[in-house]
Structure formats: structure tokens, C-alpha cells
Amino acid sequence: MSSGGFASQNGAGGSHANGPSQNPVGVFSSNQGFMAPPQPGFNTLPTKDPGLYSSSRHQPPPLGTPNHRSGLSGPPPSSNCYQLPQQPPQPQHPPHPQHPQQPLHPQHPPQPQHPPHPQHPQQPLHPPPPQQPGWSPVPSAMHHSGSSAPPVFHNTMQPPAPSVNNAAVTAAAGQMHTYPSLQAYQSVSGVQTPPAMSPPALTHTQLYTQPSAQLSPSLAALSLQSQPPEALRAINLLQERSLLPPGAVTPPVPCLPQDLQKLNCSPEVFRCTLTSIPQTQSLLNKAKLPLGLLLHPFKSLSQLPVVTSSNIVRCRSCRTYINPFVTFMDPRRWKCNLCHRVNDVPEEFMYNPVSRSYGVPHKRPEVQNATIEFIAPSEYMLRPPQPAVYLFVLDVSHNAVETGYLDVVCQTLLDSLDSLPGDARTKIGFITFDSNIHFYNMQEGLSQPQMLIVSDIDDVFVPTPDSLLVNLKECRELVQDLLTSLPQMFGQTMETQSALGPALQAAFKLLSPTGGRMSVFQTQLPTLGIGALKPREEPSQRANAKDVQHLSPATDFYKKLALDCSGHHVAVDLFLLSAQYSDLSSLGCISRYSAGSVYFYPSYHKQHNPPQTERLQKDLKRYLTRKIGFEAVMRIRCTKGLSIHTFHGNFFVRSTDLLSLPNVNPDAGFAVQMSIEENLLDLQTVSFQAALLYTASKGERRIRVHTLCLPVVNSLSDIFAGADVQAITALLASMAVDRSVTASLSDARDALINAAIDSLASYRSSVLTVQQPGLLTPACLRLLPLYILALLKHKAFRAGGSTRLDERVFAMCQLKHQPLAYLMMMVHPGLYRVDELTDEGALNINDRTIPQPRALQLSVEKLSGDAAFLMDCGTVMYLWVGRNCSPVFLTEVLGVPSYAAVPLNMNQLPELDTARSSRLRAFVDWLREQRPFHPILHVIRDESPLKAEFMQNMIEDLSESALSYYEFLLHLQQQISK
């Protein structure tokens, strides 16, 4: 059995992957971990450290657990993607604006493997003339929908008269606005302190408005060990069973001064697996914990400062955006917190739009907010921003029509036309396909839509390309006519073939001049033309196979087409509604590499499966109306000495740290693996910055910037104290998905188990001062073995033949694409007793009272026959009713007189006028509101067919695929004690 390395490509020959390739190279032996270096000579970056693991330290436990060693936390490949050159300052002109595909890193050498696409908007070579400083607040109508009004600042105020002496103005401003003394800044040769600006030393508050200048003495006196080390408290997992907190698991808070911590990026948007960064890679290797970032960059935010400026202030060397963690050397100069270059403060940046005062750049919104959005000036584009363009590609074969999905899609779209994001330029179009491809001419002036049929699927062409994508506002009536008639148009079809590949080619040709979003609805295996697939799953073989086969795509057609789409700013979202095997591992590539999303509705049928119909309606409504960003790119930067080596998510890596995102949506998450390339011995903190450049649906070019600051530490105990167990679990899950595809599922399972063994062994040997018997873990990692076991029993990684291949692949897609908060719901469901809900400890939101029952362990021993329990698995919920459940609950909540009267297919909670009904419905509704997808609710009892699915989520109990939680802990202890 071999194990694939991480030299896998995402389509362009570079060394940074967003997942495994179809034909991975760089295969190495199975005793190496997820982050072990690939062998040289396989298109990979050079490594500095050897692998860490011996080949046979862990022996196999019983009951199908692994039989060889495959750990996770060896040293990753290092790269030079963040060696930022120092350049001498150029006193007269700022650096030239960058290409929007690379707006964030001007010094990167060109990547020969990734030639820029000619269609991509570029910035001109000359910077804008400097504007006069001054700002004023304006209404926030440009902010995205669904958010409360954010502060928006425009560069409209006039500065002091130009004839005033600048030094005098600065000095006067320092006196009027108590600008911090230059004595408190780092001393710089040749700079003298004006007499008017020499008040006493910085106050505590002032100190951290220019944080980096004073971090060294602040952090030196703030060792993690000076606080009660609750995070490091040793817990014997074999003795303590009740480890779950009563509510949500809270992320650790980085050990930074309080004022600095208040400025840090929200962990809901940007967080790191380790909130204390090791000084060296060898120290990280010793900790055996993965280092990486979890990012939710386009999350819907209620408070988002939006700034308009003709001159966005960035580092002249590495192009980092000015942020709360830079150092102001004096009022006229700032030091970059990533490459340490000293930059001049532009004249207009001296004006503060909040206080309307001059000479206080450290109080600007950009320096007071770790998440901020800029409305980019015209210099950030060469062509006008693209309009919102939506193309719907619909399967109309007999199988598709029989499921009834067309009625649901067309009606939902009809209801949502007014809510589609866009402006007066918004365009829409439709393609349907079976064995032929049908286009629809809806040009203004026609009395009804006109169908154009192309039967030559081997050489697809687009008839009348100018009239197939029409302006929604001008042709609204024709669009409505088409949506009304489409379900009946193919009602009697007997065509069973599916030419999905040619339909996608036609759709790409239609969208490529402008870019946009392609929404594809498919109900079966493609059978005709290019991209045709054959069944690869045999249920009989699935039950007997030693390992899972066919996790990699059968053809590279869908991946290649996705890369073409990415280059022309086209994202493809796939809705798969199928009762039969459809080879999602092949079809999913069209979304994965074009920054799209995959939606999967197994066994969809409008009449026979009403819960799936409800789910499709709710999901599709959000999909159509949520915020969207077009022609986007995202670059992630980090302090010099750190480097990025692997990305996870749906995108295409266009250069070493630039992700191409034709569309970006609020429901997409990303993960990044990091390594320490150079020692961080002279640094007290490091920073990470993610900048997302996109075109809003209204046509504005915007840049959303997130900056995260973390302390640097030199002891293993501090590293462990700052470990974020949920972020670690999410990163390991993405790494395990890649390992499953490039190597095998059993390798991935082994690596997950050894991740827990390695980290706990390192804690025991290097951090614990007093050795004790038992399986010991620091309090901050007490849930890691439980989460690892949950992953082993997750659909993505569970052993055994009970999981259909498409469902397994979709589960893997979810682990790679979901933001952390939603991913953890799917990994470790919540279990709550709900037959006795009370208002004690309840939340009060918008005049609603939301009960907050305690989360219970996922074990049958927690169930009681005289109670009712709600299990929240993220995309599905189960209300389990005990055989002896109180008749009062049955009557007042479910509206039935007895246990036997509970329907076997009940999917709704009736709205009854009782306190019990109100409480439970409020709790379920509140849980649903916490996520962007709509979970189905199944009310089940012992005789229900779904009881087996409910029990499969009891991850602490013994199952066909893995040990019970207690047996798993004993196995970990046995391996650590060797």
C-alpha cells in the first residue's frame, strides 16, 4: 500500500495545491505523514528538514483500526513565496498599482506555468495623481444587503491650506489632538523631535494604537505561564468522561495585551490552529501539532467599516495593507508588520475621517479595524467591472423530468427574480439539455421565448450568441414566460440520454466574454459526448473491498474545463439530484477548480421524498439571493519567516499565494497549511493578512482585508496552551481528504489516529513536569481524541461498505469547502434533551426566548426511553422520541395522543399553541438560523427506518467502522506508552 505525497498539483504545474491531482506524483512510503516532505525531483519545493517518523511505532488495535504508521505533523515543504525583497524608498511616486489578479504582491516573480489570461482586468502602469486629504462620512447604501449600516468614509474633506508649513501643522496637530510623543516612537537617525510634540510618555491606551513599536517590552512581561495555566491543566481522559462544555466550544484567545487583542481579527473570520506561534520549525516539529489558518473571508458581517480613498495605503515592498499591527515610527512613517519595511505616510492619510482631525494617522479606520473593506479606485481595473451574469444549465432528460425538480427550480427562480444580486446591467440566460442542447432566444421584441436546438454535440457552437444572455430588466416578461412553460415543455419526453459535457462547453462559450455564474442541475450519469462517464461503483464490490476505490476522477475533462472557466471568471455550481450513482468524484471537479459549490440531494423526488424537496427550495432560495462577488482573487500574506505551502478549498492557485475565485460567496471557507521557513527569534509577534479583491454585484470593485496578529513563543508549554482544537481538527480533516485521494482511505485513517498519538505523546514527554498514569492531555486539547474518532466515523472516512460512493465524496467536498463553524456541526453533532425545555439560561433575541439545553455526549447511554432528544448534525436534525415519552410532550409538541401514533415519516413540528411547542420550535428555528443551508428535521422512533442513521452518529459507541470512544482512548494510551 502506498501513500501519496503533497506534491499534487491543481492544474497548472505549480507547487501549491488545493487538493490532489488525478495522477499524483511524488509517491513516498506509507510511514510518512500528511506534512512529511515529498521526495525530491517531483515538481515540489525543496525541504529543509527530514521526516520525523519511524515506520512501525504504532501497532494495530482490534476492530478495523489501522495497521501501519502514517502521522500528520512532520515538517512541511518550505517555499520561498514570502521572501520579500527590501527596496530603497522612492520619495516621489508610490509603486505602480498591481494587476487585479495580483493586487497584493508586486515583487513575485512571474510564474511561467500560469500565464495571465487576457480577459483578466488589469491595473494600468501609472499610479493615480495624489489627491488632497480629507474625508467625510457618507450613507452606507453601498454596503451589502442584510447588514446594518456600517461606517463608510469618503475622501472629500479638504485639508489645511497648502501654504501652511507642514512641520508647523504637524506640531500644532500634535498639541491639539495629543498625538503621542515622538520620544515614545522608535528612535530614527536624522529625525528630531519638534519641541511642540514632547508630552510625557505614552499612556497604556496610546501604547497599543501603534502596537508593534512597543510589543517587545509588553509581551516580555506577559508570559503565558504568569496566568493560571488552565489550558495546560492535565486531564486523564480515561477517568473524565464529561468533557463537553455546556454550550459552544470557544476558541482560545491569543496571549496579547488586552488593548491589542481588542483590535484582532474575529476568530469567526480568521483563526490559526496555534494561537502562539513557535519561534522555529524544529520547535513546531517537536510539538507535533499542525500549523495552519482557517479563513471565512466573505462571511456576512453586520458591522463592516467601508472606506473610499483615492490612495489605499500599502507597504511599498510586500504590498501589505496598512493595518492595526503596523508600527508608526513617527507621524510621517510606518513600519510594515510583515516585511519590516519603513514606509512614508501619504499626506491624505494624515486626516482622520472619524474625528475629522489632522495629524493622527494611528487613529484612522484602517489602523483601528482588523477587518475592513475598501472601495477600490479605478486604477484597480483595466476594463469596467463585469455585470452580474447568471446562466442556468438544466437537465431535461426523462429521468430529470420524472423527479419533478424542474417545477421546484423554475418556481423558486420566479419567486426570486427581484432578489437576484445585481444592477440595471444584470443578465440571465438558460440552456437545457438531454441528448441535444437547447438554447433560448429571449431578445427584446419577441412575443415569446424562441428555442434553438443544437444536435451536433461533438462540435458545439452557440447560435445567436448576442441574444441568449439577455438583460433581466428589459426582458423580464420573456424570462417569466420561459420559467412558467419549461416544466411542461419536456413533460412527455422519453429521451434518456444526458450530454452534460457538451452542454457545459456551450455554456462556457456563452459566458466566457463576460464571466459570471453557471448553475448546473444534473440528475444522472452523463452518457453522451465528451465527458461521458461509465458506472464505477458496484455495491457488491463495495461491501467486500479492503479499501474504497474510485475516489479520484475518471476523466480530466471536467477539471480542464473548470480551469478554462476560472481563466475567464466563470464559476460553476453543481446541483446533483440523483437516486443512482453519478460519479461525483469526476463531476465535482467542475466546481472545485472554478471556485464553485456542490449541492447534493440523494434520492431526490418531489413526491416520494418531500424533505429533500423542502431542502432544495430553501437552499436554492439562499443561493439565488445571497451576496456574491465576481472576478475575485485572494492573496494571503504572512510575516517574513513564515511560508504557505498548501491550500484547501474550491479555487485555482494562480501563483504561489494567489487564489483565483471567479465567484466568491459568503458560505465558502478555506484552509492553509503553513511552515516556519526562517527562525522568528527576533520577533514578538507575527501577522497574517488575507486580502480579497472582487467586483460587487452593483459593479463596484472592492477589497476586503483581514489581519490577524499572534504572539511568538519559545516553549512547548506555550505552544500547547494556545492550541485551537477545532481549528486543528478542521485542518486535519482537509489534509485527510487529500490523503484519501492521493493514497488510500486507510492511509488517511491511520494518519488521523497518529495525529492524536503524536500530539499527546509530545505533551506527555515534553510539557508534563510530573508523570502520571493514564492518558493525559492538556485541557485545551481534551476534545482532540473525541474529534479524531468523530472524523473516523464520519461519512468521508468511515470504513465498511455501508456508505455509497457519491455520499462519501460529497462528505469530503463538505470538509474541504465548509467554514469551520459549519464543518464542526457535521463532524461532531450536538445532542440535547428537549422534552423538558425551560427558560432558565435562555437567550432573548428579538423578543424571542431561545432555550439553551446542555449538550450531551453522543452515546446511547445518554438516551432515556421516557424522554425526547434532538440531534443536530448540521445538514440534518433528528428528534428521537423514547417509547415511554411523556404523553404531555407527545400531545403538546407533536400533536399525537400516543407513542404509537407518531408517524414514521414525520418531518415537521406542528405549530401548536402550547409553551412546550413554542420552546422547541424556537430552539430548532434558532439552530437553523445559525447556518446557510437548511437542515431537514426527521421525527423518529424505534420503528423508524432512519433510526440506524441516528445511531450511526453516536460516535462514542462501538460501530462497524471504528472502536468505541473508551476503546479508542485505550489504544492511544497503549501507543503512547510504547
Side-chain angles (χ1 to χ4, degrees):
M1 183 180 300
S2 66
S3 169
F6 282 96
S8 54
Q9 308 301 309
N10 70 345
S15 58
H16 297 277
N18 69 343
S21 65
Q22 183 184 356
N23 299 303
V25 296
V27 176
F28 51 87
S29 63
S30 62
N31 69 331
Q32 289 179 289
F34 281 162
M35 297 170 64
Q39 298 297 322
F42 289 112
N43 254 346
T44 62
L45 297 172
T47 60
K48 296 182 179 178
D49 302 302
L52 294 178
Y53 299 119
S54 60
S55 59
S56 60
R57 178 159 62 86
H58 302 325
Q59 297 301 316
L63 298 168
T65 50
N67 56 10
H68 67 276
R69 175 82 172 97
S70 182
L72 278 118
S73 50
S78 61
S79 76
N80 294 321
C81 73
Y82 243 95
Q83 291 183 345
L84 303 173
Q86 299 291 334
Q87 294 184 351
Q90 302 176 14
Q92 295 182 355
H93 298 290
H96 297 312
Q98 301 302 307
H99 192 295
Q101 280 288 42
Q102 299 190 4
L104 315 173
H105 205 318
Q107 267 71 35
H108 267 305
Q111 302 292 321
Q113 300 97 327
H114 311 295
H117 289 272
Q119 293 84 0
H120 208 77
Q122 298 185 1
Q123 299 178 24
L125 297 178
H126 299 291
Q131 299 294 318
Q132 294 299 320
W135 300 67
S136 67
V138 299
S140 57
M142 290 172 290
H143 188 57
H144 61 79
S145 61
S147 300
S148 61
V152 183
F153 305 107
H154 276 264
N155 192 1
T156 56
M157 294 290 292
Q158 292 300 315
S163 61
V164 178
N165 180 274
N166 281 341
V169 170
T170 304
Q175 287 179 318
M176 286 175 58
H177 303 291
T178 61
Y179 195 85
S181 165
L182 287 182
Q183 294 172 348
Y185 292 107
Q186 296 178 359
S187 59
V188 182
S189 173
V191 177
Q192 297 183 359
T193 305
M197 295 185 63
S198 55
L202 289 174
T203 65
H204 182 71
T205 301
Q206 292 169 327
L207 174 64
Y208 297 116
T209 56
Q210 320 93 33
S212 299
Q214 304 295 335
L215 282 178
S216 179
S218 303
L219 292 180
L222 194 64
S223 167
L224 293 178
Q225 298 305 312
S226 65
Q227 303 174 359
E230 170 60 26
L232 290 177
R233 178 173 61 87
I235 294 177
N236 185 350
L237 293 178
L238 295 174
Q239 294 178 350
E240 294 197 36
R241 293 295 307 280
S242 299
L243 299 173
L244 292 176
V249 177
T250 56
V253 178
C255 186
L256 295 169
Q258 184 177 5
D259 288 15
L260 192 59
Q261 180 55 46
K262 288 179 181 178
L263 297 174
N264 223 349
C265 195
S266 166
E268 294 181 355
V269 173
F270 207 174
R271 64 203 280 184
C272 186
T273 57
L274 304 177
T275 56
S276 296
I277 305 299
Q279 280 188 342
T280 64
Q281 181 67 40
S282 62
L283 189 61
L284 176 62
N285 294 342
K286 193 173 181 181
K288 303 292 180 69
L289 292 169
L291 176 61
L293 304 172
L294 281 299
L295 185 59
H296 190 176
F298 208 51
K299 176 180 171 63
S300 297
L301 300 172
S302 58
Q303 296 293 329
L304 177 65
V306 179
V307 170
T308 299
S309 174
S310 60
N311 184 6
I312 297 175
V313 180
R314 300 169 67 181
C315 175
R316 298 179 68 177
S317 176
C318 70
R319 305 300 289 153
T320 293
Y321 292 79
I322 196 167
N323 60 79
F325 311 107
V326 303
T327 305
F328 281 91
M329 312 296 289
D330 57 51
R332 295 287 180 175
R333 294 182 305 160
W334 62 279
K335 183 177 180 181
C336 177
N337 52 322
L338 268 63
C339 73
H340 315 304
R341 163 76 179 264
V342 176
N343 299 270
D344 294 332
V345 176
E347 183 69 25
E348 56 266 40
F349 199 77
M350 298 295 291
Y351 182 79
N352 186 346
V354 178
S355 62
R356 301 192 180 188
S357 56
Y358 188 80
V360 282
H362 66 291
K363 294 290 185 68
R364 291 268 306 204
E366 299 93 320
V367 191
Q368 293 293 313
N369 295 277
T371 290
I372 196 165
E373 188 155 282
F374 300 94
I375 298 177
S378 59
E379 288 70 28
Y380 276 76
M381 65 203 79
L382 189 59
R383 68 174 190 178
Q386 72 166 72
V389 181
Y390 305 108
L391 178 62
F392 296 88
V393 183
L394 303 163
D395 181 357
V396 292
S397 64
H398 174 74
N399 183 70
V401 174
E402 200 274 332
T403 66
Y405 95 91
L406 264 179
D407 294 311
V408 176
V409 171
C410 291
Q411 187 58 51
T412 306
L413 187 49
L414 268 172
D415 297 340
S416 304
L417 282 179
D418 290 333
S419 304
L420 285 176
D423 55 16
R425 304 180 302 155
T426 300
K427 292 185 176 182
I428 193 169
F430 297 88
I431 292 176
T432 58
F433 66 96
D434 41 33
S435 60
N436 299 318
I437 302 172
H438 321 113
F439 299 87
Y440 296 89
N441 181 357
M442 297 177 288
Q443 194 170 18
E444 191 176 10
L446 293 175
S447 58
Q448 63 182 21
Q450 184 181 64
M451 179 191 288
L452 307 171
I453 301 176
V454 173
S455 56
D456 185 3
I457 61 173
D458 295 324
D459 186 16
V460 175
F461 66 95
V462 178
T464 63
D466 295 335
S467 60
L468 302 180
L469 283 173
V470 298
N471 184 285
L472 177 58
K473 185 176 181 180
E474 296 171 357
C475 305
R476 183 186 177 92
E477 289 186 4
L478 289 172
V479 172
Q480 289 175 320
D481 289 347
L482 178 62
L483 289 172
T484 302
S485 58
L486 258 181
Q488 290 74 42
M489 200 180 297
F490 298 93
Q492 304 302 317
T493 183
M494 299 307 294
E495 181 62 70
T496 59
Q497 304 284 0
S498 170
L500 174 63
L504 291 174
Q505 288 181 319
F508 167 66
K509 290 182 178 181
L510 195 55
L511 280 177
S512 57
T514 58
R517 184 177 75 188
M518 188 192 307
S519 306
V520 180
F521 295 81
Q522 172 73 1
T523 66
Q524 60 178 315
L525 200 69
T527 55
L528 282 183
I530 190 167
L533 299 169
K534 295 180 179 179
R536 296 194 290 168
E537 181 187 46
E538 290 292 338
S540 58
Q541 295 178 4
R542 185 178 73 204
N544 300 323
K546 292 183 179 180
D547 216 326
V548 176
Q549 305 297 316
H550 309 307
L551 290 174
S552 56
T555 173
D556 61 359
F557 165 76
Y558 295 98
K559 177 178 177 179
K560 287 181 176 178
L561 182 58
L563 298 181
D564 290 338
C565 287
S566 178
H568 291 78
H569 315 299
V570 176
V572 184
D573 296 317
L574 175 65
F575 291 77
L576 185 59
L577 312 98
S578 176
Q580 304 298 324
Y581 172 71
S582 300
D583 200 351
L584 185 55
S585 56
S586 297
L587 297 183
C589 292
I590 191 67
S591 296
R592 178 177 174 189
Y593 295 101
S594 67
S597 303
V598 176
Y599 296 81
F600 183 45
Y601 303 88
S603 303
Y604 180 89
H605 197 282
K606 186 178 179 182
Q607 273 77 39
H608 302 160
N609 198 342
Q612 289 284 34
T613 301
E614 178 192 1
R615 184 174 152 230
L616 174 62
Q617 287 174 323
K618 301 280 188 178
D619 288 354
L620 188 57
K621 182 177 180 181
R622 174 171 173 83
Y623 168 80
L624 293 171
T625 59
R626 71 188 178 188
K627 186 181 179 183
I628 186 172
F630 297 98
E631 49 187 348
V633 289
M634 182 169 68
R635 195 186 292 278
I636 302 175
R637 294 187 174 85
C638 48
T639 294
K640 186 177 181 181
L642 297 168
S643 66
I644 300 167
H645 67 81
T646 307
F647 297 92
H648 300 279
N650 290 1
F651 48 77
F652 173 61
V653 182
R654 198 162 294 286
S655 68
T656 50
D657 60 352
L658 186 75
L659 307 185
S660 173
L661 305 171
N663 289 177
V664 62
N665 69 75
D667 305 332
F670 303 87
V672 182
Q673 288 172 246
M674 309 284 299
S675 60
I676 302 172
E677 194 173 57
E678 301 174 12
N679 292 346
L680 309 173
L681 302 177
D682 298 330
L683 299 180
Q684 294 291 334
T685 63
V686 292
S687 296
F688 307 90
Q689 188 175 86
L692 177 71
L693 173 66
Y694 70 96
T695 299
S697 57
K698 301 291 186 186
E700 292 172 323
R701 201 74 171 139
R702 291 189 169 215
I703 311 165
R704 186 175 295 193
V705 180
H706 309 284
T707 310
L708 175 67
C709 179
L710 298 174
V712 176
V713 298
N714 60 7
S715 73
L716 279 174
S717 59
D718 286 350
I719 296 172
F720 274 92
D724 185 334
V725 67
Q726 290 197 332
I728 289 172
T729 303
L731 184 61
L732 293 179
S734 286
M735 295 160 69
V737 170
D738 285 358
R739 172 63 68 85
S740 299
V741 179
T742 58
S744 68
L745 188 71
S746 58
D747 271 11
R749 289 171 56 85
D750 295 348
L752 286 170
I753 293 171
N754 287 302
I757 293 172
D758 290 337
S759 58
L760 297 187
S762 175
Y763 169 75
R764 186 181 187 100
S765 62
S766 304
V767 179
L768 273 183
T769 55
V770 179
Q771 295 300 318
Q772 309 169 37
L775 180 61
L776 300 175
T777 176
C780 60
L781 291 180
R782 67 190 183 278
L783 295 176
L784 182 61
L786 180 63
Y787 287 159
I788 295 294
L789 183 63
L791 283 175
L792 295 173
K793 297 189 177 186
H794 191 268
K795 276 187 180 180
F797 304 116
R798 69 172 58 140
S802 62
T803 305
R804 291 174 53 198
L805 185 55
D806 279 346
E807 292 188 16
R808 185 185 297 275
V809 172
F810 178 65
M812 291 181 171
C813 293
Q814 293 285 80
L815 292 179
K816 293 272 283 186
H817 184 60
Q818 287 293 337
L820 176 64
Y822 312 137
L823 182 149
M824 290 309 301
M825 296 175 187
M826 302 173 189
V827 171
H828 188 273
L831 180 65
Y832 312 94
R833 180 168 178 170
V834 294
D835 59 309
E836 296 178 347
L837 291 176
T838 68
D839 293 342
E840 183 179 353
L843 298 177
N844 290 299
I845 303 175
N846 298 330
D847 298 326
R848 289 189 305 159
T849 301
I850 315 294
Q852 297 293 295
R854 183 182 179 87
L856 304 174
Q857 292 170 247
L858 291 169
S859 173
V860 173
E861 70 180 35
K862 293 298 179 182
L863 300 181
S864 172
D866 59 356
F869 295 85
L870 181 73
M871 180 184 284
D872 177 11
C873 304
T875 56
V876 62
M877 294 180 180
Y878 301 97
L879 178 60
W880 183 83
V881 180
R883 185 175 296 275
N884 300 317
C885 188
S886 164
V888 177
F889 176 84
L890 296 173
T891 304
E892 295 188 1
V893 176
L894 300 181
V896 296
S898 65
Y899 172 83
V902 177
L904 292 179
N905 58 348
M906 188 173 184
N907 302 112
Q908 300 283 351
L909 290 176
E911 294 189 20
L912 304 177
D913 189 17
T914 66
R916 289 174 184 266
S917 174
S918 298
R919 286 193 185 103
L920 181 55
R921 284 186 290 108
F923 182 54
V924 170
D925 291 345
W926 177 75
L927 289 174
R928 281 176 164 161
E929 290 165 4
Q930 307 303 304
R931 65 210 66 179
F933 39 79
H934 182 77
I936 303 169
L937 175 68
H938 297 290
V939 180
I940 60 174
R941 53 191 178 102
D942 282 347
E943 297 79 12
S944 298
L946 292 176
K947 183 188 176 184
E949 286 187 22
F950 174 78
M951 290 301 177
Q952 272 190 324
N953 290 299
M954 293 295 184
I955 59 175
E956 297 197 21
D957 297 334
L958 183 66
S959 70
E960 63 165 344
S961 62
L963 304 170
S964 70
Y965 179 55
Y966 189 73
E967 291 169 327
F968 184 62
L969 295 179
L970 290 176
H971 171 61
L972 297 182
Q973 183 192 30
Q974 177 189 10
Q975 300 304 320
I976 292 171
S977 300
K978 285 186 175 180

